[in-house]
Amino acid sequence: MKEQPTSPSPVPPAAQDPAAGQDPVPHPVPGDGERGAEHRPVLVVDYGAQYAQLIARRVREAHVYSEIVPHTLSVEELVARRPAAIVLSGGPASVYADGAPQVDPALFETQIPVLGICYGFQAMARALGGEVDHTGAREYGGTEVLVEREAGVLLDGLPLHQSVWMSHGDAVGAPPPGFAVTARTASSPVVAFEDPDRHLFGVQWHPEVKHTEHGQRVLERFLYEGAGLAPDWTTGNVIDEQVARIRSQVGDAQVICGLSGGVDSAVAAALVQRAVGNKLTCVFVDHGLLRAGEAEQVERDYVAATGVRLHVVDARKRFLDALAGVTDPERKRKIIGREFIRVFEDAAREIVGHPGPAGAAAAGEQPARFLVQGTLYPDVVESGGGEGAANIKSHHNVGGLPDDLGFDLVEPLRTLFKDEVRAVGEQLGLPEEIVHRQPFPGPGLGIRIVGEITEERLATLRAADAVVRRELTAAGLDGEIWQCPVVLLADVRSVGVQGDGRTYGHPVVLRPVSSEDAMTADWTRVPFDVLARISTRITNEVPEVNRVVLDVTSKPPGTIEWE
């Protein structure tokens, strides 16, 4: 996302003085929906491809807003979202398989620009009267594409020979009537076609993956030339649109935000502060599931940078009591989410009842009605909130909230990926050490202990985690590693030898991963000498641990967190 250097910095402390009365700037009228009328979405229709989220990411990298929707939406439901364009994703099925999703031909009569990719390309061809054949000639992985001399809109100016990433068994044998074939391979006569007059385009390969040469160029030519869209979705207008939406939603009400010290809640709070000024109070809950030094970082760095009012709640005993005896990870998440909300409800009453610099409101004001959460788009998708997405795990911001929630939620980051949130945080002027710190889950160390959570186990995990963070920083690897969860296998013990005696201690797991947005990830190749130092220090300095192991699983199939 492109930065807008002229955007103002976060609201300074003076502008938040309760004596100042009103908000520091007037409230504009919001545009259409959450994004403003000028940014109609490109809808990525998910046919079950592992790359649907990646398509959405690549569209956003072209500075065009995108959203993922399920293939079960009708044409009427798609049109009702007022899309600027539609991309039909790949998928694992054959278009001829029983129950395989199909494309309603009525979609192509709406005059909405459409790009079909892989399965979407074949489903598009079939719906429009083309031929899709069981050729028996499969194309997987790197494949050379031969671009026709009449390259059309998508491939104009690109090399006539290029390597792309294929993943298909069926093949288009003949294009639909009115379509020009613009590319082929040695075994497939039609791997790209288009009808520019109707704004309809398709490619058999995956332009969204890095292995495809010129893939981003193909997507951009569809967006800019085929659909006529402008690359104007930027950090600056994300801020402007969200500020307008927040003001419209909140009005003159009081707002509280659960500030964890992580980048998500920090950026969400800064956006809301930009919108409502001194109507926001941040609540920092020390739930006893934090890493070493995190409470101090919030109180020192974030408050110093923004001047936000901070209300600190010591709820360590409350959370540990609620989690006693619980080992199931979903129950942990839901309990932590429930207790967060209950703490916020209590804090809202305390804040209103205690006016002054440490309180949020003058005596007699109504309790806070709105709760800010740093929910991100991957949280929504993985919690089954992506309209058709599978529920991989509940997130305390999405799937772990109690039914009798006493707040209306304000979620200004709900449509953003993590790297986009960081760009917004930089634009808002937040400290580097907050904006670029490793992600840390809302449930904290509670989901990094496999087994029951106790005070002793938390202390063990904190000590091991602190060693890992210090060694990775000392090795200069913070910029290479997206996140490195340290997991304590509390219900597992292994035999070891420390000193001259036999031990029966716990293993810890290192999970260093590299990612762009947490939707997919690969394990980071940490140098062996760094791993050796980490292992030696943990087994020497943390008596309860006698074994350190490395998780080398990508996502998918494994999630980043273990629970």
Side-chain angles (χ1 to χ4, degrees):
M1 294 170 63
K2 188 166 51 183
E3 294 187 2
Q4 301 294 308
T6 57
S7 291
S9 58
V11 180
Q16 301 168 32
D17 184 350
Q22 301 300 314
D23 297 323
V25 290
H27 293 183
V29 177
D32 175 68
E34 294 189 356
R35 295 170 297 278
E38 68 275 23
H39 290 115
R40 293 162 53 201
V42 171
L43 298 182
V44 178
V45 181
D46 185 359
Y47 287 99
Q50 59 179 319
Y51 295 130
Q53 292 85 4
L54 191 52
I55 297 171
R57 286 283 303 117
R58 298 295 179 241
V59 172
R60 293 187 185 197
E61 287 175 8
H63 305 299
V64 177
Y65 183 73
S66 63
E67 291 180 355
I68 303 166
V69 297
H71 64 79
T72 51
L73 291 187
S74 67
V75 172
E76 292 75 15
E77 289 170 319
L78 288 172
V79 171
R81 292 171 177 260
R82 300 184 61 246
I86 291 174
V87 179
L88 309 177
S89 85
S94 164
V95 293
Y96 293 111
D98 292 340
Q102 303 297 331
V103 180
D104 187 339
L107 174 64
F108 307 112
E109 304 302 322
T110 62
Q111 300 184 15
I112 299 170
V114 178
L115 171 66
I117 293 176
C118 194
Y119 181 90
F121 171 70
Q122 296 178 5
M124 184 178 185
R126 191 178 186 211
L128 288 165
E131 297 177 7
V132 180
D133 303 325
H134 294 290
T135 63
R138 300 186 176 190
E139 291 179 315
Y140 293 117
T143 305
E144 185 181 43
V145 159
L146 307 175
V147 178
E148 304 292 347
R149 293 292 177 181
E150 296 296 326
V153 172
L154 295 191
L155 304 175
D156 184 42
L158 299 182
L160 297 181
H161 297 259
Q162 52 188 278
S163 178
V164 303
W165 192 259
M166 292 282 196
S167 181
H168 68 101
D170 298 340
V172 175
F179 279 72
V181 176
T182 57
R184 55 190 166 84
T185 67
S187 58
S188 298
V190 183
V191 295
F193 58 45
E194 58 185 59
D195 183 347
D197 292 338
R198 297 168 63 190
H199 309 290
L200 303 178
F201 306 85
V203 294
Q204 179 63 72
W205 65 89
H206 287 276
E208 72 275 15
V209 304
K210 293 292 188 183
H211 305 293
T212 293
E213 292 179 341
H214 315 293
Q216 188 67 13
R217 287 279 304 278
V218 170
L219 286 173
E220 290 175 355
R221 289 196 65 80
F222 167 69
L223 297 169
Y224 307 155
E225 307 297 330
L229 305 181
D232 59 0
W233 191 66
T234 66
T235 302
N237 56 46
V238 166
I239 293 172
D240 293 342
E241 290 165 11
Q242 285 302 319
V243 164
R245 186 194 65 78
I246 292 163
R247 288 173 173 165
S248 176
Q249 179 185 7
V250 169
D252 292 328
Q254 294 292 324
V255 186
I256 63 174
C257 174
L259 192 64
S260 69
V263 62
D264 305 338
S265 64
V267 175
L271 271 172
V272 174
Q273 186 185 25
R274 173 76 63 89
V276 304
N278 62 5
K279 295 186 180 70
L280 171 70
T281 299
C282 287
V283 177
F284 176 71
V285 178
D286 186 351
H287 49 29
L289 306 174
L290 299 171
R291 295 182 295 187
E294 292 197 291
E296 294 79 7
Q297 183 190 50
V298 171
E299 296 190 60
R300 181 186 67 242
D301 297 336
Y302 192 78
V303 174
T306 65
V308 72
R309 272 190 303 245
L310 183 67
H311 182 81
V312 179
V313 180
D314 184 349
R316 288 174 290 182
K317 185 176 186 305
R318 174 175 183 159
F319 277 80
L320 284 174
D321 288 348
L323 290 164
V326 178
T327 60
D328 179 74
E330 279 297 289
R331 282 194 62 205
K332 288 181 188 176
R333 288 176 177 272
K334 291 182 182 298
I335 289 169
I336 294 168
R338 180 195 70 208
E339 293 303 315
F340 258 106
I341 296 303
R342 297 304 175 228
V343 169
F344 287 139
E345 289 171 341
D346 293 343
R349 288 187 286 270
E350 291 176 17
I351 290 166
V352 171
H354 296 80
E365 287 195 18
Q366 293 298 311
R369 230 185 82 209
F370 293 94
L371 170 65
V372 180
Q373 291 203 128
T375 310
L376 304 190
Y377 199 36
D379 301 332
V380 175
V381 172
E382 291 195 346
S383 298
E387 299 181 274
N391 188 343
I392 298 171
K393 60 186 178 183
S394 69
H395 185 278
H396 81 281
N397 282 359
V398 183
L401 299 179
D403 294 333
D404 58 342
L405 181 66
F407 297 100
D408 293 330
L409 294 180
V410 179
E411 298 176 304
L413 311 179
R414 189 178 175 90
T415 60
L416 301 182
F417 290 95
K418 178 76 76 172
D419 57 322
E420 296 167 341
V421 171
R422 294 192 198 280
V424 169
E426 290 175 343
Q427 191 69 24
L428 288 167
L430 295 183
E432 174 82 7
E433 55 269 25
I434 287 181
V435 172
H436 289 285
R437 74 180 297 228
Q438 286 188 7
F440 188 59
L445 299 180
I447 58 168
R448 292 183 178 175
I449 295 176
V450 179
E452 182 184 2
I453 300 168
T454 67
E455 197 162 356
E456 294 75 18
R457 290 175 172 181
L458 284 166
T460 297
L461 182 53
R462 273 195 201 95
D465 175 86
V467 169
V468 173
R469 286 192 288 153
R470 282 195 290 267
E471 288 298 331
L472 293 178
T473 298
L477 295 173
D478 287 342
E480 297 181 28
I481 296 177
W482 167 273
Q483 190 175 4
C484 186
V486 180
V487 182
L488 175 66
L489 303 184
D491 287 345
V492 176
R493 287 184 180 272
S494 64
V495 175
V497 177
Q498 289 170 301
D500 291 322
R502 179 180 183 275
T503 64
Y504 199 50
H506 298 290
V508 295
V509 181
L510 310 184
R511 175 71 165 133
V513 296
S514 301
S515 179
E516 289 184 339
D517 49 41
M519 296 305 302
T520 60
D522 193 15
W523 66 281
T524 307
R525 275 60 170 176
V526 178
F528 288 160
D529 60 331
V530 177
L531 292 173
R533 283 197 302 274
I534 289 173
S535 178
T536 299
R537 285 196 58 189
I538 290 177
T539 53
N540 284 347
E541 299 173 24
V542 186
E544 299 81 5
V545 176
N546 68 351
R547 196 176 297 269
V548 177
V549 299
L550 179 66
D551 183 346
V552 296
T553 313
S554 63
K555 175 187 178 181
T559 56
I560 293 176
E561 298 289 347
W562 271 46
E563 292 204 337

